[in-house]
């Protein structure tokens, strides 16, 4: 159970990793989340989520891409794994199933 | 995100913190990420905000908050959640039972305070003269004299011993003599005069043998001339203020000028070598009729030797004994004297013969310190085990949820540690508050300074030991509960536990009763010494040493004073009546056994001395004729007995070179401290110096008599300030140290008993609470208040009665040991023990019955309805 379940924030981080593709690391992911969701994500929170995802095997990482702004230090670049893709797909699938089963009247009826 | 040029840097400490705390695997990327963000923030919001954000992020990344440690079973390596829970539970328990908490914390704090104060006292006593650089090689020369089969040891030696030791005894590095300089009355510099300085004659090596370095002046030659003195810094400050003391001339006794040639640091309070002003020993060569370097017959000098490391003090003693025998003119006397060495650090606490003096009190206080702390610990053990049942469910639940015995044990040890820490803090506060008062009581200058590492180590050890003693047993008991039993409510509240508590209470009260008995006996012995008939009248007599020209005008002073209405008598002698010091072996009488060692105290007195003090003659008569008639002697009973003279009156007697006859025998009276048995003494009359004046008043007119005396003093001795003292005040002063210890002992015994009662009160409260319903039902069934009070009190009376039975023989033995130190002591009477027993029973009943009566008076309906 523990291995496959995706928390809401984790899901967003994982999606951001997919979106950023080859350039997904701590700062860019935080940035992406800040811009897209409009809610302030802390670097530490993102790191925590990333490490957890890595422990679950949903992302993999490698070091690379040192820049001067980083004081010459390398980034840890994250990439989504097959398991990560499956987890995302399953999450989406789950939602879709729910979406599909919502009776149309819910959207039309307004207040009862 | 585009790379940003950064111009400023994040706070260095935060960078370091990150470096230190970040797991190495992630360190590089995290540092990089944060640095990148920092540049970005700095551009966007400015440096201040960027720095703040950086710090916040570093804090957010601290390892325990970020990546979880995948190797630890628990999410937090220190189980902080559990610790917090323990702490919360402990605090709640303490708050819920405020009475017990107060008793535990208060009792322990009081116990710790007492222990620390006592240990401070003990430490101070043990520290006397232990600070000298070569202290372990310094010895005092003592002489053991065989007086008709009894060995008496004196801490004094004749002057030549030091000279002989220096020149003839191998292994002696230095030898120094000291003797009090009692002739100095007043010192003056400019128009300032000073009295009451402790003056002494010392050999020049005094300052190097002991650790009293000459800070100003020449320590190789501190006394360049006979007219030199060395003073302490505080004397220098008092006399000369900030001015340079060296070279200043001080007027002594209004006659001679002495030049200050050296200044030493003040002598520490924990030294017995307390002098303020040092005179060169050489002066005595001139003023004594025989130079102290050659006079083997007079032994009044404290002689200290410093030996080479590895030298045997016994060998030195034997060598000195031999030298003494070779030099003493009287061969018989010489054969009875053995010279020995006493280590310097023993001088303060042991008699010269090596038996305990102050050491006994040090030991007693040490024991009391431990006992008081133990009593407080017993309270803690009793109250926490008694309440163990109330925590049983908690223990059960903890164990069911998965706690091991070790964890529960740790929890309760921790709770004890909390209580002890609280008590310790309170004790520290109490000590701070009480120390000034305590110093006044004990006459010491104790401080609780940070440098006193020895004390703090012993304090820490004390705390740990008490924690172990008092904390382990309850923790073991509590952690032993079986969850199945306690949760089913089948806990047998421990018959064993309650009898263990009774055993502890018994022990506690045994200690208390012993302390009560000791207090009573010490108090009575001290009172006995103060009030005992000395064999003469010391009331309403004031006295002083005559100064200036007074001695020459004794006759006119006497007749003038006797004319005063308030004055009933005037007399004089050459010695202090309370403490005769001159003794001699130079006597002879008809039929004296030449093998017999006979030493006698002497007093040169006025003719009317005996009637003045109401000294009673057993046979013969008082002095007759003129003062110059020196052929008359009056001996005391002991002297007659010790000398073996039958029908002494009229027999020939020779004192020094004076032949005469014994004209009377006086009843024994005390002329020494009550510690010492009455020794032989002889009154004689001689034209010589009799400088101690005694004036008896009617009591009511004392003030007028003193005023009249002062007028005469001013006439004959204007250079000296008028000083006098009442004989009974002076007498009390001799026992001041003992009175002080007596008072201290009373306080500490009181505290010990108080703490014991606190514990009993707590236990009684607990029992009454536990049995509320039982009491209510008994009342409903018709039991009277008194029946219930008896019922509740009974279980406490038994251990106390047993304690009495144990304590009485113990106290008997201990008090007997203590009393055997006194030559004259009270008898131990049974009523002392009876009183102690009654007292302890009374305080027990009082502390127990308060709760019992409260429980018995409560309305039974209340407790039964609420149930």
């Amino acid at each position: 159970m523990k291995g496959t379940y995706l928390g809401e924030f984790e899901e967003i981080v994982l999606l951001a990793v997919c979106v950023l593709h080859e350039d997904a690391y701590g700062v860019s992911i935080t940035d992406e989340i800040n811009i897209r969701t409009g809610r302030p994500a802390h670097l530490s929170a993102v790191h925590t989520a990333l490490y957890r995802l890595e422990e679950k095997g949903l992302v993999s990482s490698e070091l690379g891409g040192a820049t001067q702004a980083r004081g010459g230090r390398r980034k840890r670049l994250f990439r989504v794994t097959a398991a990560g893709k499956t987890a995302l797909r399953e999450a989406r699938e789950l939602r879709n199933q729910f979406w599909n089963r919502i009776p149309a009247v819910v959207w039309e009826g307004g207040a009862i | 995100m585009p790379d940003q040029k950064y111009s400023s840097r994040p706070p260095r400490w935060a960078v370091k913190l990150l470096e230190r705390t970040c797991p190495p695997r992630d360190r590089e990327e995290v540092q990089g990420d944060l640095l990148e963000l920092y540049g970005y923030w700095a551009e966007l919001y400015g440096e201040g905000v960027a720095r703040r954000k950086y710090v916040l992020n570093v804090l957010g990344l601290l390892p325990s908050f970020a990546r979880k440690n995948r190797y630890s079973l628990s999410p937090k390596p220190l189980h902080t959640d559990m610790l917090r829970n323990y702490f919360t539970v402990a605090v709640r328990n303490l708050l819920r039972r405020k009475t017990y908490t107060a008793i535990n914390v208060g009792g322990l704090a009081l116990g710790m305070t007492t222990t620390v104060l006592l240990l401070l006292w003990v430490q101070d006593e043990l520290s006397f003269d232990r600070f000298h650089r070569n202290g372990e090689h310094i010895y005092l020369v003592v002489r053991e004299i065989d007086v008709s089969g009894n060995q008496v040891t004196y801490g004094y030696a004749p002057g030549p011993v030091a000279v002989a030791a220096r020149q003839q005894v191998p292994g002696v590095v230095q030898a120094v003599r000291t003797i009090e300089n009692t002739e100095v009355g007043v010192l003056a510099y400019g128009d300032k005069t000073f009295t009451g300085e402790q003056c002494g004659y010392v050999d020049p090596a005094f300052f190097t043998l002991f650790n009293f370095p000459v800070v100003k002046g020449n320590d190789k030659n501190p006394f360049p001339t006979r007219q030199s003195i060395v003073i302490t810094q505080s004397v220098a400050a008092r006399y000369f203020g900030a001015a340079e003391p060296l070279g200043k001339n001080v007027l002594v006794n209004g006659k001679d000028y002495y030049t200050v040639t050296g200044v030493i640091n003040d002598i520490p309070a924990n030294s017995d070598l307390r002098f303020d002003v040092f005179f060169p020993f050489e002066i005595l060569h001139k003023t004594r009729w025989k130079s102290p370097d050659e006079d083997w017959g007079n032994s009044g000098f404290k002689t200290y030797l410093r030996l080479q490391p590895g030298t045997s003090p016994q060998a030195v003693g034997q060598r000195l004994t031999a030298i003494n025998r070779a030099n003493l003119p009287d061969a018989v006397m010489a054969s009875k004297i053995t010279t020995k060495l006493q280590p310097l650090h023993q001088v303060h606490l042991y008699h010269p013969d090596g038996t305990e003096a102050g050491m006994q009190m040090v030991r007693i206080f040490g024991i009391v310190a431990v006992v008081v702390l133990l009593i407080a610990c017993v309270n803690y053990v009793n109250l926490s085990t008694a309440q163990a049942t109330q925590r049983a469910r908690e223990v059960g639940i903890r164990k069911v949820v998965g706690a091991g015995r070790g964890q529960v044990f740790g929890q309760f040890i921790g709770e004890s540690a909390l209580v002890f820490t609280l008590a310790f803090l309170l004790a520290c506060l109490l000590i701070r508050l009480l120390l000034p008062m305590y110093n006044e009581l004990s006459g010491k200058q104790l401080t609780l300074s940070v440098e006193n590492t020895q004390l703090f180590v012993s304090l820490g050890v004390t705390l740990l030991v008490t924690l172990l003693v008092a904390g382990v047993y309850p923790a073991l008991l509590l952690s032993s509960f079986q969850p199945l039993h306690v949760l089913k409510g089948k806990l047998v509240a421990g018959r064993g536990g309650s009898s263990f508590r009774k055993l502890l209470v018994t022990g506690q009260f045994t200690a208390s009763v012993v302390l009560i008995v000791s207090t009573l006996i010490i108090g009575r012995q001290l009172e006995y010494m103060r009030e005992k008939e000395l064999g003469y009248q010391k009331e309403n007599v004031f006295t002083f040493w005559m100064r200036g020209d007074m001695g020459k005008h004794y006759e006119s002073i006497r007749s003038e004073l006797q004319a005063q209405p308030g004055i009933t008598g005037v007399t004089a002698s050459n010695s202090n009546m309370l403490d005769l010091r001159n003794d001699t072996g130079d006597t002879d009488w008809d039929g004296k056994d030449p093998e017999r060692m006979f030493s006698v105290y002497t007093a040169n007195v006025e003719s009317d001395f005996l009637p003045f003090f109401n000294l009673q003659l057993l046979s013969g008569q008082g002095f007759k004729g003129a003062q110059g008639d020196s052929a008359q002697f009056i001996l005391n009973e002991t002297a007659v007995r010790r000398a073996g003279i039958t029908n002494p009156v009229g027999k020939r007697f020779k004192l020094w070179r004076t032949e005469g006859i014994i004209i009377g025998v006086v009843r024994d009276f005390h002329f020494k401290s009550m510690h010492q048995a009455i020794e032989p003494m002889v009154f004689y009359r001689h034209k010589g110096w009799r400088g101690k004046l005694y004036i008896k008043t009617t009591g009511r007119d004392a003030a007028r008599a003193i005023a009249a005396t002062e007028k005469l003093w001013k006439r004959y001795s204007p250079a000296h300030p008028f000083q006098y003292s009442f004989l009974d005040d002076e007498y009390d002063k001799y026992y001041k140290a003992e009175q002080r210890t007596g008072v201290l002992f009373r306080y500490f015994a009181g505290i010990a008993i108080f703490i014991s009662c606190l514990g009993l009160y707590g236990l009684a409260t607990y029992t009454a609470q536990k049995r509320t319903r039982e009491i209510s039902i008994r009342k409903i069934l018709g039991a009277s208040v008194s029946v219930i009070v008896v019922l509740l009190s009974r279980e406490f009376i038994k251990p106390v009665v047993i304690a009495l039975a144990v304590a009485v023989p113990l106290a008997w033995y201990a008090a007997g040991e203590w009393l055997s130190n006194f030559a004259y002591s009270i008898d131990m009477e049974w009523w002392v023990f009876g009183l102690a027993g009654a007292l302890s029973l009374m305080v027990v009943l009082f502390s127990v019955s308060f709760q019992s009566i409260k429980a018995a008076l409560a309305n039974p309906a209340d407790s039964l309805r609420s149930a």
Side-chain angles (χ1 to χ4, degrees):
Chain A
M1 261 225 304
K2 191 187 170 196
T4 55
Y5 175 74
L6 265 186
E8 195 252 2
F9 188 65
E10 282 176 336
E11 189 177 346
I12 290 177
V13 172
L14 193 52
L15 285 168
V17 171
C18 296
V19 169
L20 290 166
H21 191 45
E22 291 290 305
D23 191 33
Y25 68 102
V27 177
S28 65
I29 295 168
T30 314
D31 232 30
E32 183 70 23
I33 294 171
N34 282 342
I35 294 162
R36 296 296 159 198
T37 64
R39 66 184 192 197
H42 273 285
L43 182 65
S44 51
V46 172
H47 271 294
T48 312
L50 281 170
Y51 295 146
R52 213 180 304 137
L53 289 171
E54 194 173 12
E55 273 170 34
K56 291 179 184 175
L58 303 183
V59 294
S60 62
S61 69
E62 61 185 6
L63 290 171
T67 66
Q68 204 206 343
R70 302 176 57 82
R73 291 177 178 96
R74 289 174 295 171
K75 305 164 179 174
R76 181 174 293 277
L77 293 167
F78 291 88
R79 185 178 297 149
V80 66
T81 61
K85 288 178 195 161
T86 314
L88 275 177
R89 233 178 263 124
E90 274 174 7
R92 185 174 180 180
E93 204 63 24
L94 191 71
R95 279 161 207 246
N96 283 345
Q97 281 175 20
F98 277 104
W99 274 100
N100 293 339
R101 286 167 54 220
I102 300 172
V105 70
V106 172
W107 305 112
E108 293 158 8
I112 302 170
Chain B
M1 184 188 299
D3 287 356
Q4 302 285 345
K5 283 228 176 272
Y6 61 94
S7 49
S8 63
R9 293 181 165 277
R12 184 169 299 179
W13 66 267
V15 176
K16 282 246 172 74
L17 181 68
L18 185 65
E19 172 104 36
R20 196 72 59 78
T21 56
C22 198
R25 210 196 77 142
D26 309 326
R27 192 179 295 148
E28 181 174 351
E29 52 142 330
V30 169
Q31 281 175 331
D33 280 7
L34 269 179
L35 211 56
E36 189 180 334
L37 275 176
Y38 179 80
Y40 173 60
W41 289 326
E43 186 124 319
L44 206 61
Y45 309 110
E47 199 179 326
V49 177
R51 289 168 76 90
R52 206 180 66 223
K53 277 179 172 283
Y54 184 91
V55 170
L56 277 175
N57 271 285
V58 169
L59 293 179
L61 279 166
L62 286 178
S64 61
F65 298 110
R67 171 167 292 201
K68 284 171 184 169
N69 185 349
R70 68 185 82 178
Y71 303 109
S72 166
L73 283 172
S74 155
K76 293 178 186 174
L78 276 170
H79 310 279
T80 45
D81 285 332
M82 213 56 217
L83 287 181
R84 195 178 308 161
N85 173 269
Y86 288 159
F87 186 74
T88 315
V89 170
V91 169
R92 281 182 191 154
N93 266 305
L94 291 181
L95 290 179
R96 190 185 311 144
R97 297 194 285 257
K98 292 201 178 62
T99 322
Y100 300 115
T101 309
I103 288 174
N104 273 334
V105 174
L108 280 171
L110 213 56
M112 287 181 193
T113 309
T114 312
T115 305
V116 170
L117 290 180
L118 279 166
L119 287 182
L120 273 173
W121 189 92
V122 166
Q123 193 197 23
D124 185 73
E125 282 291 311
L126 291 176
S127 74
F128 263 72
D129 284 313
R130 286 209 186 241
F131 52 86
H132 300 288
R133 218 179 308 109
N134 298 303
E136 68 274 28
H137 304 307
I138 302 178
Y139 294 85
L140 173 72
V141 176
V142 301
R143 309 211 309 160
E144 185 186 280
I145 301 177
D146 182 345
V147 183
S148 22
N150 292 327
Q151 316 294 329
V152 188
T153 311
Y154 300 91
Y156 297 93
V161 168
V163 181
R166 251 179 251 148
Q167 293 168 353
Q168 303 171 35
V169 183
V172 174
V173 184
Q174 281 173 307
V176 161
R177 292 162 289 185
T178 72
I179 185 168
E180 261 179 78
N181 180 350
T182 48
E183 290 112 72
V184 173
V186 60
L187 295 151
Y189 176 71
D191 50 2
K192 287 189 276 190
T193 58
F194 304 91
T195 57
E197 310 289 13
Q198 284 289 327
C199 300
Y201 295 106
V202 299
D203 279 321
F206 180 85
F207 307 102
T208 46
L209 186 138
F210 295 112
N211 224 13
F212 301 131
V214 176
V215 289
K216 279 182 184 163
N218 180 0
D219 63 355
K220 294 272 181 320
N221 187 14
F223 304 113
T225 67
R226 274 187 189 163
Q227 299 299 110
S228 313
I229 52 171
V230 172
I231 57 177
T232 61
Q233 268 179 340
S234 64
V235 170
R238 258 185 296 139
Y239 286 33
F240 315 116
E244 173 61 47
L246 287 189
K248 291 276 191 303
N249 290 316
V250 175
L251 185 63
V252 176
N253 283 350
K255 283 202 310 255
D256 308 307
Y257 279 100
Y258 285 81
T259 310
V260 176
T261 53
V263 178
I264 62 164
N265 286 328
D266 283 347
I267 297 197
N270 56 353
S271 173
D272 284 326
L273 301 149
R274 302 196 57 74
F275 293 115
D276 304 309
V277 180
F278 301 84
F279 289 80
F281 195 81
E282 252 188 285
I283 295 177
L284 297 175
H285 297 307
K286 198 180 61 176
T287 52
R288 296 230 166 177
W289 67 280
K290 201 169 172 186
S291 156
D293 281 359
E294 285 145 25
D295 180 7
W296 283 92
N298 259 313
S299 62
F301 303 100
K302 291 248 172 216
T303 307
Y304 300 92
L305 305 183
R306 195 185 124 204
L307 306 186
Q308 224 141 38
T311 312
S312 147
Q314 284 80 20
V316 173
Q318 280 159 13
R319 187 87 186 84
L320 287 173
T321 306
I323 293 173
N324 185 54
R325 287 190 183 156
N327 284 283
L328 207 68
D330 183 344
V332 176
M333 186 152 170
S335 70
K336 311 236 170 187
I337 299 176
T338 316
T339 306
K340 293 182 173 177
L341 298 188
Q342 184 186 26
L344 176 68
H345 60 80
Q346 278 197 7
V347 171
H348 180 67
L349 292 173
Y350 294 85
H351 292 298
D353 61 359
T355 55
E356 290 183 356
M359 191 59 204
Q360 198 182 27
M361 218 56 212
V362 168
R363 192 162 288 147
I364 290 175
F365 272 24
I367 292 171
V368 172
V370 174
V371 165
V372 170
L373 201 61
L374 273 181
I375 288 178
C377 286
V378 164
N379 281 353
Y380 184 78
V381 172
N382 276 348
L383 287 181
S384 38
T385 53
Q387 291 174 24
T389 41
Q390 299 193 4
R391 303 288 298 272
R393 293 250 163 88
E394 182 193 332
V395 174
I397 295 286
R398 280 186 193 278
K399 284 195 169 176
V400 165
V401 172
R405 184 167 181 185
Q407 281 165 307
V408 178
F409 179 80
Q411 178 197 353
F412 286 106
I413 279 281
E415 275 189 29
S416 301
L418 184 70
V419 171
F420 275 75
T421 312
L422 283 177
F424 185 67
L425 293 178
L426 190 62
C428 287
L429 191 76
L430 272 175
I431 293 165
R432 269 198 86 101
L433 291 175
L434 291 177
L435 206 54
M437 220 166 80
Y438 183 60
N439 277 337
E440 198 150 312
L441 266 180
S442 62
K444 288 190 181 293
Q445 291 143 28
L446 305 171
T447 49
L448 206 58
S449 68
V450 189
E451 296 105 70
N452 197 342
T453 45
Q454 205 188 341
L455 181 81
F456 281 97
V457 168
S458 58
L459 260 185
V461 172
T462 316
L463 192 65
L464 271 180
V465 169
T466 44
L467 185 61
L468 280 180
V469 170
V472 165
Y473 179 72
L476 272 178
L477 181 80
L478 278 159
S479 62
S480 71
F481 289 144
Q482 295 296 315
L484 201 59
H485 290 161
V486 292
L487 291 179
K488 274 177 144 180
K490 277 209 293 195
L491 178 77
V492 198
R495 286 254 152 205
S498 109
S499 60
F500 181 70
R501 278 198 290 283
K502 276 185 185 145
L503 188 71
L504 287 182
V505 169
T506 310
Q508 218 178 10
F509 269 86
T510 307
S512 296
V513 172
V514 172
L515 284 176
I516 296 180
V517 172
S518 313
T519 313
L520 286 174
I521 286 182
I522 290 177
R524 270 177 43 79
Q525 171 66 20
L526 294 179
E527 195 184 342
Y528 169 80
M529 292 203 298
R530 222 175 16 189
E531 317 259 294
K532 182 173 192 290
E533 282 302 318
L534 296 177
Y536 62 92
Q537 276 189 337
K538 65 177 191 303
E539 285 73 31
N540 296 327
V541 176
F542 70 97
T543 172
F544 51 82
W545 293 99
M546 290 189 279
R547 304 258 180 226
D549 293 333
M550 294 184 85
K552 280 184 229 155
H553 301 276
Y554 171 72
E555 281 307 325
S556 55
I557 289 174
R558 190 172 92 113
S559 49
E560 211 164 316
L561 283 177
Q562 270 177 338
Q564 291 286 330
I567 292 176
T568 58
V570 178
T571 191
S573 77
N574 68 338
S575 46
N576 184 354
M577 180 70 176
L578 296 172
D579 187 13
L580 291 190
R581 294 244 178 123
N582 309 329
D583 66 327
T584 182
D586 195 357
T587 51
D588 197 17
W589 61 87
D590 285 337
K592 182 182 180 182
D593 174 4
E595 286 295 309
R596 183 178 223 115
M597 172 84 191
F598 180 75
S599 169
V600 65
Y601 285 88
T602 64
N604 179 11
V605 298
E606 287 289 324
S607 305
D608 56 358
F609 191 86
L610 278 82
F612 177 93
F613 278 111
N614 244 349
L615 286 161
Q616 286 180 6
L617 286 172
L618 290 177
S619 58
Q621 49 192 340
F623 289 115
K624 286 260 156 45
Q627 179 72 25
D629 182 2
S630 54
Q632 303 175 11
F633 297 105
I634 298 179
L635 272 61
N636 73 349
E637 282 176 274
T638 309
V640 172
R641 199 172 51 244
R642 202 72 70 77
I645 307 173
T646 41
N647 295 324
V649 176
K651 290 266 169 68
R652 197 183 61 84
F653 191 80
K654 185 177 160 201
L655 179 68
W656 298 305
R657 278 151 295 178
T658 314
E659 293 261 8
I661 54 162
I662 300 168
I663 57 160
V665 177
V666 69
R667 184 196 287 273
D668 273 345
F669 64 98
H670 289 273
F671 53 86
K672 279 271 170 195
S673 140
M674 204 59 79
H675 289 281
Q676 280 164 269
I678 294 175
E679 297 275 314
M681 77 89 50
V682 56
F683 286 116
Y684 67 98
R685 290 191 306 177
H686 194 265
K687 278 200 193 117
W689 178 79
R690 293 177 305 283
K692 183 90 168 161
L693 195 70
Y694 300 89
I695 299 163
K696 196 192 284 178
T697 72
T698 53
R700 256 183 310 137
D701 300 305
R704 242 192 310 158
I706 289 166
T709 314
E710 185 170 10
K711 233 191 292 172
L712 282 169
W713 177 292
K714 290 239 166 83
R715 188 188 309 161
Y716 292 110
S717 156
H720 301 263
F722 179 47
Q723 281 173 322
Y724 68 93
S725 60
F726 278 94
L727 212 53
D728 37 7
D729 290 347
E730 222 173 292
Y731 181 75
D732 283 347
K733 240 181 255 168
Y734 283 108
Y735 300 97
K736 196 149 193 184
E738 269 134 11
Q739 301 290 352
R740 272 192 174 134
T741 17
V743 170
L744 281 184
F745 197 83
R746 203 155 64 212
Y747 277 108
F748 290 130
I751 290 173
I753 294 154
F754 178 71
I755 298 176
S756 309
C757 289
L758 262 187
L760 265 193
Y761 177 81
L763 273 185
T765 314
Y766 171 77
T767 325
Q769 270 172 5
K770 208 175 59 178
R771 297 171 76 173
T772 321
R773 260 179 247 168
E774 177 197 333
I775 294 165
S776 305
I777 291 170
R778 280 178 191 274
K779 278 186 83 170
I780 287 169
L781 294 177
S784 69
V785 170
S786 58
V787 167
I788 287 167
V789 170
V790 170
L791 177 82
L792 285 177
S793 309
R794 199 166 47 196
E795 72 172 289
F796 293 103
I797 300 300
K798 213 168 97 187
V800 174
V801 171
I802 297 173
L804 266 179
V806 179
V808 166
L810 220 69
W812 183 281
Y813 173 75
E817 282 288 296
W818 185 73
L819 286 176
S820 68
N821 273 306
F822 296 88
Y824 301 90
S825 62
I826 53 165
D827 297 324
M828 270 186 281
E829 288 156 291
W830 67 268
W831 67 261
V832 171
F833 296 91
L835 182 65
L839 266 176
S840 47
L841 266 181
M842 238 163 63
V843 286
V844 167
L845 275 179
F846 181 75
S847 35
V848 169
S849 62
F850 183 73
Q851 280 303 324
S852 312
I853 292 172
K854 201 169 114 189
L857 286 178
N859 184 351
D862 290 341
S863 65
L864 289 178
R865 192 187 297 138
S866 70

